[in-house]
Amino acid sequence: MPGRTGASRCRTGAGPVRDRPPGFIVGCMTVQLPSAGGSSLPQERRIVTEIPGPASRELLERRHSSVARGLSHVLPVFVAAAGGGVVVDVDGNSLIDFGSGIAVTGVGNSAERVVERVTEQVARFTHTCFMVAPYEGYVEVCEELNRLTPGDHEKRSALFNSGAEAVENAVKIARYATGRPAVVVFDHAYHGRTNLTMALTAKNMPYKHRFGPFASEVYRVPMAYPLRWPGGPERCAAEALDVITSLIHTQVGEDNVAAVLIEPIQGEGGFIVPPDGFLPGLAEFCAAHGIVLIADEIQSGLCRTGDWFASDHESVVPDLVTTAKGIAGGLPLAGVTGRADLMDAVHPGGLGGTYGGNPVACAAALGSLETMAKEDLAARARRIGDIMLPRLREIATATAAIADVRGRGAMLAVEIVRPGGIEPDPATAAQVAAACHQAGLLVLTCGTFGNVLRFLPPMVIGEPLLDEGLSILAEAFAGR
Ligand SMILES: Cc1ncc(COP(=O)(O)O)c(C=O)c1O
């Protein structure tokens, strides 16, 4: 049972957290850290020290002398346990989680079915390598992905470790199957940090700066971004399709294009939701020219937007879909799923990797997918949207700095600008995020201009916490 905590300045609880007794000393106070996470953690916000507290600061010092500077933290509190809608730090603070580890723990941290399946699998075997000696869990995850992704055509899947690796493999498959080199991507896109996916990602700082040269045959076109479309939001879908198809025709040539790669709702680039009609129009164009449409659903997929996949919203059926993040309740797993003729085009041995589809990660995915289905987390995500959107709009009405409230289900954002126009204001976004963090609400920023606050609560978060988080947000925006 988690205990109460308090703070003082006498001395800190030294040594690794795992070695500390359940009640260790932070300052002059005993901190009782939870011995387990999951939904049994008290679902409450509880701030008992400054943020970060002394135990986190001590770990941060060790982190600075042991971990590379290139890794940064949104909020430098070290985690002791997490579950439901809270993250508990090593000082005993319990924070409301509006981040889900960047859209990963939609089913909650240490979700019951994930823990059960992983525990059982770890005790049986941890690795054989699917390319050496296969196992049923991998096949089961592929069957599930084939069933759940948009379209009822014949599909195949392949599993990998990370989102970036899935995107790389989707491009490999599209190139192989079409025999064409070019990949078309969008402004504000984010697809990962490997060499090819850096080329596919739009934003320079911090993702690409000084990491080039990048992979070739990548062509970038404008994104249908209603707030910033020069012709206005009403004309955005039609005009964006005109510009994109004309650029592809004149600068690349349709016959040279293996794939158009798009996030149905852009994630890191700013939670940009294209206007209705845009994705179906793009799908139609791709189909007409034998171009593989790859939907990168790594952030938007698996119930997050209120459907199994964001593409479902307008009944778009991509040729290939990439998944990762939310699929395995926090364990590293990713997939490429799509048309059997494309997926099976590649020669045996052409796809794979030592760890891809690791049995423990597959067990986690089966627990996570089962939870999504049994607890209808898509409906929970819609309910979260129904609660949050009106509150966010209320905040926006009282706040000149918010130019747009957008998103679907449990993937929502506000875009922050200088009042009176749409000039991005990343400084205010950072200040609001910092104020939320201090008050015990974990929120993330994103966007090409760093001026978007995004909200990705676990789908299992309780409504009182959701409500409290929104009140903290309103407070952080007050007077801006
Ligand atoms: C849409 C999208 N694609 C790809 C990736 C890369 O995934 P990973 O960090 O697992 O490599 C991300 C990660 O944020 C993402 O949001």
Side-chain angles (χ1 to χ4, degrees):
M1 277 291 289
R4 293 283 147 185
T5 61
S8 89
R9 304 194 183 264
C10 303
R11 68 191 173 90
T12 56
V17 170
R18 66 172 184 281
D19 295 342
R20 292 175 188 170
F24 77 95
I25 305 293
V26 169
C28 289
M29 254 186 342
T30 302
V31 173
Q32 207 108 60
L33 291 180
S35 56
S39 56
S40 63
L41 277 178
Q43 296 298 297
E44 62 181 10
R45 180 177 68 105
R46 190 179 63 235
I47 302 301
V48 293
T49 68
E50 62 211 313
I51 305 280
S56 275
R57 289 203 304 273
E58 190 183 304
L59 285 166
L60 210 52
E61 269 175 40
R62 280 174 53 202
R63 173 257 179 267
H64 284 310
S65 52
S66 59
V67 181
R69 195 174 67 121
L71 291 128
S72 62
H73 314 290
V74 169
L75 175 55
V77 298
F78 279 74
V79 179
V86 297
V87 173
V88 178
D89 75 10
V90 290
D91 289 285
N93 298 298
S94 175
L95 311 166
I96 301 174
D97 184 9
F98 274 15
S100 298
I102 322 188
V104 170
T105 51
V107 295
N109 253 292
S110 301
E112 203 176 326
R113 292 184 185 89
V114 173
V115 172
E116 273 168 21
R117 295 240 193 185
V118 164
T119 309
E120 191 259 346
Q121 179 60 47
V122 163
R124 281 198 299 129
F125 66 98
T126 48
H127 174 83
T128 58
C129 184
F130 192 71
M131 300 182 308
V132 174
Y135 36 88
E136 189 178 358
Y138 189 115
V139 177
E140 266 185 279
V141 173
C142 291
E143 286 168 347
E144 285 296 290
L145 284 172
N146 296 347
R147 191 173 63 78
L148 295 169
T149 47
D152 49 17
H153 52 288
E154 195 176 345
K155 295 177 208 156
R156 303 279 187 271
S157 289
L159 303 179
F160 304 96
N161 300 292
S162 68
E165 208 189 337
V167 172
E168 290 241 2
N169 277 280
V171 170
K172 277 167 66 173
I173 292 162
R175 282 180 169 156
Y176 195 115
T178 60
R180 302 171 179 181
V183 182
V184 173
V185 290
F186 291 81
D187 282 342
H188 312 288
Y190 181 86
H191 299 291
R193 294 173 182 264
T194 57
N195 187 266
L196 173 59
T197 57
M198 275 192 293
L200 302 170
T201 289
K203 188 174 173 176
N204 177 48
M205 202 55 187
Y207 308 125
K208 301 167 75 164
H209 183 63
R210 295 182 67 162
F211 294 137
F214 302 114
S216 61
E217 286 301 321
V218 173
Y219 299 89
R220 194 168 306 284
V221 294
M223 178 61 183
Y225 186 169
L227 177 71
R228 296 183 182 278
W229 191 258
E234 283 75 32
R235 291 162 59 181
C236 179
E239 288 185 2
L241 283 169
D242 276 354
V243 172
I244 291 160
T245 52
S246 155
L247 282 172
I248 291 174
H249 180 68
T250 56
Q251 296 190 14
V252 196
E254 293 86 345
D255 290 353
N256 297 316
V257 180
V260 167
L261 168 64
I262 189 161
E263 299 154 84
I265 294 181
Q266 286 184 320
E268 304 303 302
F271 279 32
I272 299 164
V273 186
D276 283 355
F278 175 73
L279 291 172
L282 197 64
E284 209 175 295
F285 168 78
C286 288
H289 295 283
I291 297 170
V292 175
L293 177 66
I294 307 173
D296 181 346
E297 293 259 16
I298 285 166
Q299 190 150 168
S300 59
L302 296 158
C303 299
R304 178 54 60 188
T305 63
D307 289 298
W308 274 101
F309 291 91
S311 302
D312 290 325
H313 182 67
E314 289 188 90
S315 305
V316 169
V317 180
D319 299 304
L320 299 178
V321 175
T322 56
T323 48
K325 287 190 182 286
I327 192 173
L331 272 79
L333 189 73
V336 181
T337 301
R339 276 169 43 197
D341 60 318
L342 300 175
M343 295 293 296
D344 280 345
V346 178
H347 56 272
L351 302 174
T354 304
Y355 292 114
N358 167 273
V360 182
C362 285
L366 293 171
S368 171
L369 293 170
E370 188 189 341
T371 303
M372 289 177 199
K374 289 215 164 124
E375 297 182 19
D376 197 355
L377 292 192
R380 294 281 285 270
R382 291 195 293 276
R383 169 85 184 140
I384 288 170
D386 289 345
I387 293 170
M388 289 189 75
L389 276 171
R391 291 283 300 276
L392 293 174
R393 290 193 184 112
E394 224 173 81
I395 296 171
T397 307
T399 312
I402 298 180
D404 199 14
V405 175
R406 58 180 179 249
R408 259 202 322 267
M411 183 174 185
L412 303 170
V414 295
E415 177 156 356
I416 298 167
V417 296
R418 293 196 179 283
I422 57 165
E423 189 190 336
D425 186 354
T428 297
Q431 283 161 18
V432 172
C436 291
H437 296 163
Q438 287 306 312
L441 173 66
L442 208 172
V443 292
L444 311 172
T445 56
C446 67
T448 297
F449 315 109
N451 66 324
V452 177
L453 270 181
R454 59 174 153 171
F455 313 111
L456 293 159
M459 271 86 82
V460 295
I461 193 171
E463 292 184 13
L465 277 184
L466 204 55
D467 194 55
E468 193 177 354
L470 286 161
S471 300
I472 292 170
L473 190 68
E475 184 67 23
F477 268 112
R480 292 180 195 274

PDB file of all heavy atoms in Angstrom, residues 102 161-165 167 190-193 263 265 267-268 296-300 322 324-325, ligand 1:
ATOM      1  N   ILE A 102       3.920   9.265 -24.087  1.00  0.00           N
ATOM      2  CA  ILE A 102       3.725   9.619 -25.507  1.00  0.00           C
ATOM      3  C   ILE A 102       2.849   8.574 -26.214  1.00  0.00           C
ATOM      4  O   ILE A 102       3.290   7.868 -27.118  1.00  0.00           O
ATOM      5  CB  ILE A 102       5.031   9.869 -26.292  1.00  0.00           C
ATOM      6  CG1 ILE A 102       6.080  10.606 -25.431  1.00  0.00           C
ATOM      7  CG2 ILE A 102       4.719  10.655 -27.563  1.00  0.00           C
ATOM      8  CD1 ILE A 102       7.323  11.050 -26.205  1.00  0.00           C
ATOM      9  N   ASN A 161      10.649  -3.719 -33.655  1.00  0.00           N
ATOM     10  CA  ASN A 161      10.848  -3.251 -32.275  1.00  0.00           C
ATOM     11  C   ASN A 161      10.315  -1.863 -31.992  1.00  0.00           C
ATOM     12  O   ASN A 161       9.889  -1.577 -30.886  1.00  0.00           O
ATOM     13  CB  ASN A 161      12.346  -3.247 -31.937  1.00  0.00           C
ATOM     14  CG  ASN A 161      12.943  -4.617 -32.048  1.00  0.00           C
ATOM     15  OD1 ASN A 161      12.614  -5.489 -31.261  1.00  0.00           O
ATOM     16  ND2 ASN A 161      13.787  -4.822 -33.036  1.00  0.00           N
ATOM     17  N   SER A 162      10.416  -0.981 -32.965  1.00  0.00           N
ATOM     18  CA  SER A 162      10.079   0.426 -32.718  1.00  0.00           C
ATOM     19  C   SER A 162       9.270   0.966 -33.883  1.00  0.00           C
ATOM     20  O   SER A 162       9.250   0.376 -34.974  1.00  0.00           O
ATOM     21  CB  SER A 162      11.353   1.259 -32.583  1.00  0.00           C
ATOM     22  OG  SER A 162      11.995   1.305 -33.841  1.00  0.00           O
ATOM     23  N   GLY A 163       8.667   2.122 -33.637  1.00  0.00           N
ATOM     24  CA  GLY A 163       7.903   2.751 -34.697  1.00  0.00           C
ATOM     25  C   GLY A 163       8.762   3.060 -35.904  1.00  0.00           C
ATOM     26  O   GLY A 163       8.370   2.806 -37.057  1.00  0.00           O
ATOM     27  N   ALA A 164       9.944   3.613 -35.655  1.00  0.00           N
ATOM     28  CA  ALA A 164      10.826   3.979 -36.771  1.00  0.00           C
ATOM     29  C   ALA A 164      11.151   2.749 -37.613  1.00  0.00           C
ATOM     30  O   ALA A 164      11.162   2.805 -38.855  1.00  0.00           O
ATOM     31  CB  ALA A 164      12.107   4.607 -36.236  1.00  0.00           C
ATOM     32  N   GLU A 165      11.395   1.644 -36.943  1.00  0.00           N
ATOM     33  CA  GLU A 165      11.738   0.417 -37.668  1.00  0.00           C
ATOM     34  C   GLU A 165      10.548  -0.065 -38.505  1.00  0.00           C
ATOM     35  O   GLU A 165      10.724  -0.568 -39.626  1.00  0.00           O
ATOM     36  CB  GLU A 165      12.152  -0.655 -36.651  1.00  0.00           C
ATOM     37  CG  GLU A 165      13.112  -1.669 -37.196  1.00  0.00           C
ATOM     38  CD  GLU A 165      13.329  -2.834 -36.246  1.00  0.00           C
ATOM     39  OE1 GLU A 165      13.107  -2.677 -35.020  1.00  0.00           O
ATOM     40  OE2 GLU A 165      13.709  -3.901 -36.729  1.00  0.00           O
ATOM     41  N   VAL A 167       8.242   1.895 -39.815  1.00  0.00           N
ATOM     42  CA  VAL A 167       8.125   2.797 -40.967  1.00  0.00           C
ATOM     43  C   VAL A 167       9.180   2.435 -42.020  1.00  0.00           C
ATOM     44  O   VAL A 167       8.889   2.357 -43.218  1.00  0.00           O
ATOM     45  CB  VAL A 167       8.269   4.274 -40.521  1.00  0.00           C
ATOM     46  CG1 VAL A 167       8.335   5.191 -41.727  1.00  0.00           C
ATOM     47  CG2 VAL A 167       7.100   4.677 -39.618  1.00  0.00           C
ATOM     48  N   TYR A 190       6.225  13.396 -38.664  1.00  0.00           N
ATOM     49  CA  TYR A 190       7.239  12.777 -37.808  1.00  0.00           C
ATOM     50  C   TYR A 190       7.135  11.264 -37.985  1.00  0.00           C
ATOM     51  O   TYR A 190       6.066  10.672 -37.795  1.00  0.00           O
ATOM     52  CB  TYR A 190       7.039  13.116 -36.319  1.00  0.00           C
ATOM     53  CG  TYR A 190       8.119  12.486 -35.466  1.00  0.00           C
ATOM     54  CD1 TYR A 190       9.332  13.136 -35.258  1.00  0.00           C
ATOM     55  CD2 TYR A 190       7.951  11.224 -34.903  1.00  0.00           C
ATOM     56  CE1 TYR A 190      10.344  12.547 -34.507  1.00  0.00           C
ATOM     57  CE2 TYR A 190       8.957  10.629 -34.156  1.00  0.00           C
ATOM     58  CZ  TYR A 190      10.146  11.294 -33.957  1.00  0.00           C
ATOM     59  OH  TYR A 190      11.155  10.701 -33.220  1.00  0.00           O
ATOM     60  N   HIS A 191       8.272  10.656 -38.355  1.00  0.00           N
ATOM     61  CA  HIS A 191       8.250   9.203 -38.540  1.00  0.00           C
ATOM     62  C   HIS A 191       9.385   8.491 -37.810  1.00  0.00           C
ATOM     63  O   HIS A 191       9.507   7.268 -37.945  1.00  0.00           O
ATOM     64  CB  HIS A 191       8.288   8.873 -40.033  1.00  0.00           C
ATOM     65  CG  HIS A 191       7.107   9.418 -40.793  1.00  0.00           C
ATOM     66  ND1 HIS A 191       5.827   8.937 -40.629  1.00  0.00           N
ATOM     67  CD2 HIS A 191       7.009  10.440 -41.684  1.00  0.00           C
ATOM     68  CE1 HIS A 191       4.985   9.607 -41.401  1.00  0.00           C
ATOM     69  NE2 HIS A 191       5.667  10.533 -42.051  1.00  0.00           N
ATOM     70  N   GLY A 192      10.231   9.227 -37.074  1.00  0.00           N
ATOM     71  CA  GLY A 192      11.266   8.539 -36.304  1.00  0.00           C
ATOM     72  C   GLY A 192      12.624   9.192 -36.440  1.00  0.00           C
ATOM     73  O   GLY A 192      12.769  10.266 -37.038  1.00  0.00           O
ATOM     74  N   ARG A 193      13.621   8.499 -35.860  1.00  0.00           N
ATOM     75  CA  ARG A 193      14.951   9.108 -35.724  1.00  0.00           C
ATOM     76  C   ARG A 193      16.060   8.269 -36.358  1.00  0.00           C
ATOM     77  O   ARG A 193      17.232   8.538 -36.124  1.00  0.00           O
ATOM     78  CB  ARG A 193      15.277   9.269 -34.243  1.00  0.00           C
ATOM     79  CG  ARG A 193      14.404  10.266 -33.485  1.00  0.00           C
ATOM     80  CD  ARG A 193      14.747  10.177 -32.026  1.00  0.00           C
ATOM     81  NE  ARG A 193      13.973  11.045 -31.156  1.00  0.00           N
ATOM     82  CZ  ARG A 193      14.376  12.245 -30.732  1.00  0.00           C
ATOM     83  NH1 ARG A 193      15.527  12.726 -31.118  1.00  0.00           N
ATOM     84  NH2 ARG A 193      13.623  12.957 -29.919  1.00  0.00           N
ATOM     85  N   GLU A 263       0.594  10.417 -41.605  1.00  0.00           N
ATOM     86  CA  GLU A 263      -0.058  10.178 -40.307  1.00  0.00           C
ATOM     87  C   GLU A 263      -1.491  10.709 -40.455  1.00  0.00           C
ATOM     88  O   GLU A 263      -1.675  11.904 -40.719  1.00  0.00           O
ATOM     89  CB  GLU A 263       0.637  10.975 -39.203  1.00  0.00           C
ATOM     90  CG  GLU A 263       2.099  10.637 -38.973  1.00  0.00           C
ATOM     91  CD  GLU A 263       2.849  11.819 -38.367  1.00  0.00           C
ATOM     92  OE1 GLU A 263       2.806  11.987 -37.139  1.00  0.00           O
ATOM     93  OE2 GLU A 263       3.480  12.581 -39.123  1.00  0.00           O
ATOM     94  N   ILE A 265      -3.692  11.534 -38.339  1.00  0.00           N
ATOM     95  CA  ILE A 265      -3.639  12.755 -37.537  1.00  0.00           C
ATOM     96  C   ILE A 265      -2.165  12.903 -37.182  1.00  0.00           C
ATOM     97  O   ILE A 265      -1.571  11.986 -36.599  1.00  0.00           O
ATOM     98  CB  ILE A 265      -4.487  12.664 -36.252  1.00  0.00           C
ATOM     99  CG1 ILE A 265      -5.978  12.558 -36.600  1.00  0.00           C
ATOM    100  CG2 ILE A 265      -4.245  13.877 -35.358  1.00  0.00           C
ATOM    101  CD1 ILE A 265      -6.916  12.494 -35.393  1.00  0.00           C
ATOM    102  N   GLY A 267       1.176  13.621 -35.352  1.00  0.00           N
ATOM    103  CA  GLY A 267       1.480  13.597 -33.923  1.00  0.00           C
ATOM    104  C   GLY A 267       2.458  14.679 -33.508  1.00  0.00           C
ATOM    105  O   GLY A 267       2.077  15.802 -33.185  1.00  0.00           O
ATOM    106  N   GLU A 268       3.748  14.352 -33.572  1.00  0.00           N
ATOM    107  CA  GLU A 268       4.776  15.292 -33.085  1.00  0.00           C
ATOM    108  C   GLU A 268       4.686  16.639 -33.795  1.00  0.00           C
ATOM    109  O   GLU A 268       5.036  17.676 -33.235  1.00  0.00           O
ATOM    110  CB  GLU A 268       6.188  14.693 -33.285  1.00  0.00           C
ATOM    111  CG  GLU A 268       6.392  13.340 -32.641  1.00  0.00           C
ATOM    112  CD  GLU A 268       6.109  13.343 -31.161  1.00  0.00           C
ATOM    113  OE1 GLU A 268       6.740  14.119 -30.423  1.00  0.00           O
ATOM    114  OE2 GLU A 268       5.230  12.570 -30.740  1.00  0.00           O
ATOM    115  N   ASP A 296       0.701   5.948 -41.278  1.00  0.00           N
ATOM    116  CA  ASP A 296       1.501   5.787 -40.065  1.00  0.00           C
ATOM    117  C   ASP A 296       0.568   6.055 -38.884  1.00  0.00           C
ATOM    118  O   ASP A 296       0.294   7.196 -38.523  1.00  0.00           O
ATOM    119  CB  ASP A 296       2.686   6.767 -40.088  1.00  0.00           C
ATOM    120  CG  ASP A 296       3.571   6.613 -38.847  1.00  0.00           C
ATOM    121  OD1 ASP A 296       3.127   5.972 -37.880  1.00  0.00           O
ATOM    122  OD2 ASP A 296       4.690   7.153 -38.848  1.00  0.00           O
ATOM    123  N   GLU A 297       0.090   4.971 -38.299  1.00  0.00           N
ATOM    124  CA  GLU A 297      -0.868   5.057 -37.177  1.00  0.00           C
ATOM    125  C   GLU A 297      -0.158   4.793 -35.850  1.00  0.00           C
ATOM    126  O   GLU A 297      -0.782   4.351 -34.879  1.00  0.00           O
ATOM    127  CB  GLU A 297      -2.002   4.044 -37.382  1.00  0.00           C
ATOM    128  CG  GLU A 297      -2.907   4.348 -38.574  1.00  0.00           C
ATOM    129  CD  GLU A 297      -4.237   5.007 -38.171  1.00  0.00           C
ATOM    130  OE1 GLU A 297      -4.342   5.504 -37.034  1.00  0.00           O
ATOM    131  OE2 GLU A 297      -5.150   5.009 -39.021  1.00  0.00           O
ATOM    132  N   ILE A 298       1.134   5.061 -35.839  1.00  0.00           N
ATOM    133  CA  ILE A 298       1.919   4.741 -34.644  1.00  0.00           C
ATOM    134  C   ILE A 298       1.441   5.539 -33.431  1.00  0.00           C
ATOM    135  O   ILE A 298       1.377   5.016 -32.321  1.00  0.00           O
ATOM    136  CB  ILE A 298       3.419   4.935 -34.961  1.00  0.00           C
ATOM    137  CG1 ILE A 298       3.877   3.764 -35.833  1.00  0.00           C
ATOM    138  CG2 ILE A 298       4.266   5.080 -33.702  1.00  0.00           C
ATOM    139  CD1 ILE A 298       5.203   3.938 -36.510  1.00  0.00           C
ATOM    140  N   GLN A 299       1.076   6.798 -33.650  1.00  0.00           N
ATOM    141  CA  GLN A 299       0.580   7.599 -32.518  1.00  0.00           C
ATOM    142  C   GLN A 299      -0.954   7.595 -32.471  1.00  0.00           C
ATOM    143  O   GLN A 299      -1.563   7.592 -31.410  1.00  0.00           O
ATOM    144  CB  GLN A 299       1.109   9.041 -32.592  1.00  0.00           C
ATOM    145  CG  GLN A 299       0.835   9.832 -31.350  1.00  0.00           C
ATOM    146  CD  GLN A 299       1.856  10.924 -31.034  1.00  0.00           C
ATOM    147  OE1 GLN A 299       1.614  11.752 -30.179  1.00  0.00           O
ATOM    148  NE2 GLN A 299       2.993  10.955 -31.672  1.00  0.00           N
ATOM    149  N   SER A 300      -1.590   7.586 -33.645  1.00  0.00           N
ATOM    150  CA  SER A 300      -3.047   7.778 -33.698  1.00  0.00           C
ATOM    151  C   SER A 300      -3.830   6.471 -33.581  1.00  0.00           C
ATOM    152  O   SER A 300      -5.048   6.506 -33.395  1.00  0.00           O
ATOM    153  CB  SER A 300      -3.418   8.467 -35.015  1.00  0.00           C
ATOM    154  OG  SER A 300      -2.988   7.684 -36.122  1.00  0.00           O
ATOM    155  N   THR A 322       1.268   1.229 -40.293  1.00  0.00           N
ATOM    156  CA  THR A 322       2.294   0.979 -39.277  1.00  0.00           C
ATOM    157  C   THR A 322       1.702   1.216 -37.891  1.00  0.00           C
ATOM    158  O   THR A 322       0.935   2.155 -37.683  1.00  0.00           O
ATOM    159  CB  THR A 322       3.522   1.898 -39.461  1.00  0.00           C
ATOM    160  OG1 THR A 322       3.107   3.258 -39.463  1.00  0.00           O
ATOM    161  CG2 THR A 322       4.267   1.580 -40.734  1.00  0.00           C
ATOM    162  N   ALA A 324       2.730   0.898 -33.482  1.00  0.00           N
ATOM    163  CA  ALA A 324       3.761   0.728 -32.431  1.00  0.00           C
ATOM    164  C   ALA A 324       3.129   1.265 -31.147  1.00  0.00           C
ATOM    165  O   ALA A 324       1.970   0.978 -30.876  1.00  0.00           O
ATOM    166  CB  ALA A 324       5.060   1.439 -32.794  1.00  0.00           C
ATOM    167  N   LYS A 325       3.866   2.075 -30.413  1.00  0.00           N
ATOM    168  CA  LYS A 325       3.368   2.770 -29.219  1.00  0.00           C
ATOM    169  C   LYS A 325       2.301   1.999 -28.437  1.00  0.00           C
ATOM    170  O   LYS A 325       2.617   1.147 -27.634  1.00  0.00           O
ATOM    171  CB  LYS A 325       2.858   4.156 -29.615  1.00  0.00           C
ATOM    172  CG  LYS A 325       3.997   5.129 -29.955  1.00  0.00           C
ATOM    173  CD  LYS A 325       3.492   6.519 -30.092  1.00  0.00           C
ATOM    174  CE  LYS A 325       4.565   7.530 -30.466  1.00  0.00           C
ATOM    175  NZ  LYS A 325       5.469   7.880 -29.389  1.00  0.00           N
TER     176      LYS A 325
HETATM  177  C1  LIG B   1       3.617   8.886 -36.102  1.00  0.00           C
HETATM  178  C2  LIG B   1       4.902   8.327 -35.592  1.00  0.00           C
HETATM  179  N1  LIG B   1       5.650   7.550 -36.381  1.00  0.00           N
HETATM  180  C3  LIG B   1       6.800   7.020 -35.956  1.00  0.00           C
HETATM  181  C4  LIG B   1       7.277   7.257 -34.691  1.00  0.00           C
HETATM  182  C5  LIG B   1       8.564   6.655 -34.232  1.00  0.00           C
HETATM  183  O1  LIG B   1       8.312   5.683 -33.277  1.00  0.00           O
HETATM  184  P1  LIG B   1       9.490   5.176 -32.312  1.00  0.00           P
HETATM  185  O2  LIG B   1       9.817   6.309 -31.397  1.00  0.00           O
HETATM  186  O3  LIG B   1       8.902   3.988 -31.613  1.00  0.00           O
HETATM  187  O4  LIG B   1      10.627   4.813 -33.200  1.00  0.00           O
HETATM  188  C6  LIG B   1       6.523   8.064 -33.835  1.00  0.00           C
HETATM  189  C7  LIG B   1       7.004   8.374 -32.487  1.00  0.00           C
HETATM  190  O5  LIG B   1       6.642   9.361 -31.871  1.00  0.00           O
HETATM  191  C8  LIG B   1       5.303   8.620 -34.296  1.00  0.00           C
HETATM  192  O6  LIG B   1       4.546   9.406 -33.512  1.00  0.00           O
END
